[in-house]
Amino acid sequence: MDAAGWERIIGLRHWLHAHPELSGRETKTKETLEQLIASETGLDVIDQGGWFACRYEPEQGSGEPPIAFRADMDALPIPETIDLPYGSKHPGVAHKCGHDGHTAALAAVALDLEQDKKICRPVCLVFQSAEETGKGGRACAEFLADGGVSEVYAFHNLSGHPEGSILVRDGLTQPASVGLAVWFCGLEAHAGTPENGRNPAGALARMALAAEEMGHAAGSSRLMLSTIVSIKEGQRDFGISPGTGEICFTLRAGDEEDLAWMEQTLKDKAQELGQEGGFAVSFSEEDPFPATVNDVRCSGRVRAAAQALGIPLAPLPSPWRPSEDFGWYAKAMPGALFYIGNGEAWPAPHQPDYDFNDRILPVAQSIFLKLAEGKAL
């Protein structure tokens, strides 16, 4: 791709940034990308409702099974607070994780696939919805498995590391997680006679302490983290002793069995407190993510691609703690999620002052194309 082509891809990224759409609502994003790829390439565009894939078939195939690459399209419910000429036009919604960049990079791959004559195997590109909620990846992974895909790759931008460097881990690279809400229902009373009611404040406090202790239960060698994200009880009414309350956790673990143990332990504690205090107890779960575990051979191929291209590698000694629904792909077939450094001082994803670093777009495209070429790796 020449300089004019990259200016166009950057323009696409800026358009995506200006028109962010939340998880499961990426209608205009999907339509724009489908039209671009269908009008300017010979790739087979496969519409799947809320998301789509496209497939490249080389004229002279090598007989190798297909390889796949994935990008996520959704934005976050975070307002745009920095002054950008392409800032979000949708109040309260912005691309604060860089999925606009992931998507633009994969679009660049789509536009150049047919020009890379070293690619002699089928290539499938997946433009996925709803990564942020963990609801999009599973269906896409099943689609690829049904299509005979033998390996799958994706990237995420990562701040705090040298700009344009490649980081990739063998094995666990991002943990499993789940959101757990616990609700206690007691009995409201006047604040002057709290003994006539059942106020769950003490139960909420003891749940918070139990979650804090749990994060250290398995020792420092295993990742187990319980984060309290919300505690709600009553209102600013000094005459009322509330009767209901809710506490919400994000539970995170490197091992899915550990995650299940954490969740069950908190549920058991809540039931115990409910019996002691006379509360009805209920639960709900949201945003489940499997662990993302890289196949050793696939992560090795990412390193080899970077070295072949002269792109520097940077160390990633520990898993990146945020969860990623690429774990669904890694469960369905061998694969690897790798990272591209935004720069040591670049704002972190999910922060108000974050924006994707356009200078890493060619790095992502070149790694994907080199992986598709395959034989030298």
Side-chain angles (χ1 to χ4, degrees):
M1 188 172 290
D2 60 16
W6 280 114
E7 285 299 318
R8 186 179 181 202
I9 291 297
I10 291 171
L12 171 64
R13 205 282 291 180
H14 292 179
W15 185 91
L16 293 168
H17 189 96
H19 300 85
E21 295 174 302
L22 293 174
S23 300
R25 307 177 193 176
E26 304 94 329
T27 306
K28 189 64 177 178
T29 301
K30 169 177 168 282
E31 176 185 314
T32 299
L33 293 163
E34 281 185 319
Q35 289 178 352
L36 172 68
I37 295 170
S39 64
E40 301 206 16
T41 78
L43 275 60
D44 183 20
V45 176
I46 308 162
D47 194 302
Q48 294 290 304
W51 59 279
F52 75 100
C54 48
R55 188 176 172 108
Y56 167 67
E57 292 283 351
E59 292 182 4
Q60 294 184 342
S62 63
E64 293 178 271
I67 187 173
F69 306 114
R70 167 275 219 165
D72 33 22
M73 302 186 293
D74 50 337
L76 286 163
I78 298 177
E80 187 84 88
T81 57
I82 53 177
D83 186 15
L84 295 170
Y86 48 87
S88 172
K89 298 181 182 297
H90 299 168
V93 183
H95 270 293
K96 292 297 179 180
C97 196
H99 294 187
D100 51 346
H102 302 169
T103 298
L106 200 62
V109 173
L111 295 180
D112 269 2
L113 268 177
E114 293 162 302
Q115 281 68 54
D116 189 340
K117 301 307 179 184
K118 296 180 182 178
I119 299 175
C120 298
R121 65 189 301 187
V123 179
C124 189
L125 309 180
V126 171
F127 293 84
Q128 179 200 312
S129 68
E131 188 282 324
E132 293 290 354
T133 60
K135 296 180 179 178
R138 190 170 192 170
C140 299
E142 291 172 352
F143 168 85
L144 293 181
D146 290 343
V149 170
S150 63
E151 53 190 306
V152 60
Y153 299 86
F155 89 97
H156 205 292
N157 67 101
L158 193 58
S159 300
H161 300 274
E163 181 178 293
S165 61
I166 297 295
L167 305 94
V168 63
R169 285 177 53 82
D170 296 337
L172 178 66
T173 192
Q174 291 188 234
S177 69
V178 68
L180 174 65
V182 182
W183 189 71
F184 293 97
C185 181
L187 181 65
E188 186 179 284
H190 192 281
T193 56
E195 67 276 11
N196 293 335
R198 294 189 297 279
N199 186 326
L204 295 171
R206 290 169 70 183
M207 287 296 297
L209 291 173
E212 183 176 283
E213 293 171 0
M214 176 183 296
H216 306 285
S220 59
S221 63
R222 288 160 65 188
L223 173 59
M224 296 178 68
L225 183 66
S226 53
T227 303
I228 299 167
V229 297
S230 174
I231 302 179
K232 297 178 181 179
E233 193 209 31
Q235 302 178 33
R236 197 179 178 91
D237 187 334
F238 298 98
I240 298 295
S241 174
T244 60
E246 180 189 68
I247 184 167
C248 299
F249 310 91
T250 296
L251 306 179
R252 204 175 301 277
D255 186 293
E256 290 177 23
E257 292 182 1
D258 284 344
L259 184 69
W261 174 83
M262 293 172 73
E263 183 174 1
Q264 191 59 52
T265 299
L266 283 176
K267 286 182 175 181
D268 290 345
K269 182 66 175 179
Q271 295 287 12
E272 174 190 321
L273 294 171
Q275 292 179 0
E276 289 180 6
F279 306 111
V281 181
S282 60
F283 308 98
S284 65
E285 299 173 5
E286 296 181 35
D287 297 359
F289 289 84
T292 294
V293 181
N294 283 349
D295 178 81
V296 173
R297 177 178 172 273
C298 292
S299 56
R301 293 194 67 215
V302 172
R303 293 188 191 95
Q307 291 169 343
L309 293 163
I311 298 172
L313 293 165
L316 190 64
S318 301
W320 191 34
R321 285 190 182 179
S323 297
E324 235 282 357
D325 78 351
F326 188 79
W328 290 116
Y329 297 83
K331 283 178 175 289
M333 67 202 67
L337 176 69
F338 62 95
Y339 309 94
I340 304 178
N342 286 321
E344 289 94 336
W346 200 268
H350 288 232
Q351 297 303 306
D353 55 347
Y354 169 83
D355 182 34
F356 185 85
N357 184 346
D358 289 325
R359 290 187 296 273
I360 71 172
L361 286 168
V363 178
Q365 190 220 36
S366 63
I367 291 288
F368 284 145
L369 290 173
K370 180 58 71 175
L371 287 166
E373 291 172 6
K375 286 187 177 180
L377 306 176

